[in-house]
Amino acid sequence: MLLREELRRFEEEEVDNSRCVVSVDALFEQWKVFFPEAQDDVKCRKALDAALSTLEELKFVREFTREPREWEIRRILKARLPVAELERLRDELKTESDARARRSQSGDAHE
């Protein structure tokens, strides 16, 4: 979903580039918000790397550069995840994230 959102943003904003390329560091900052705060960055980075490898096998992304690590988001992802589905998924994730935050806050209040 994050990659599809990046591709949508790229298509709306970029006019000079033909390829949507995103750095692993930028992806990681977006990725880690979906994991519990207790999980450390090393585990989150490993999970991101595993997800990118799987997406590469599916031909949705392609490694663009190794230093700095960057990935090209391929347009086939657009066909597999249309904007309407992207918005639905984003709403579901926001709802889940809000519920998780409320549970965390109520747990803190009981301590």
Side-chain angles (χ1 to χ4, degrees):
M1 188 208 67
L2 294 174
L3 293 175
R4 179 59 178 96
E5 181 69 19
E6 281 294 323
L7 184 59
R8 184 192 61 77
R9 220 172 317 174
F10 170 81
E11 289 177 336
E12 290 176 358
E13 297 172 4
E14 287 291 325
V15 292
D16 297 333
N17 297 319
S18 61
R19 294 180 180 193
C20 178
V21 177
V22 63
S23 75
V24 170
D25 290 338
L27 273 178
F28 180 69
E29 290 304 312
Q30 296 172 34
W31 172 269
K32 71 181 183 179
V33 299
F34 296 105
F35 289 89
E37 289 181 29
Q39 190 163 2
D40 64 38
D41 284 359
V42 173
K43 286 183 181 180
C44 284
R45 280 198 184 268
K46 285 182 181 181
L48 176 59
D49 287 342
L52 287 168
S53 292
T54 299
L55 291 168
E56 184 176 35
E57 290 173 14
L58 295 169
K59 308 289 188 215
F60 291 147
V61 297
R62 167 179 26 214
E63 190 171 47
F64 193 69
T65 61
R66 289 191 184 267
E67 277 304 317
R69 283 199 64 214
E70 296 178 315
W71 289 84
E72 176 186 1
I73 304 170
R74 302 184 71 204
R75 284 183 171 41
I76 190 169
L77 184 59
K78 183 176 170 180
R80 299 288 287 161
L81 187 59
V83 171
E85 182 70 6
L86 174 66
E87 290 172 355
R88 185 188 67 75
L89 286 170
R90 187 179 32 214
D91 291 343
E92 285 179 19
L93 285 171
K94 180 165 180 8
T95 300
E96 176 60 30
S97 177
D98 291 346
R100 191 180 298 163
R102 282 192 302 275
R103 285 191 303 268
S104 175
Q105 288 175 351
S106 67
D108 291 344
H110 296 304
E111 292 177 6

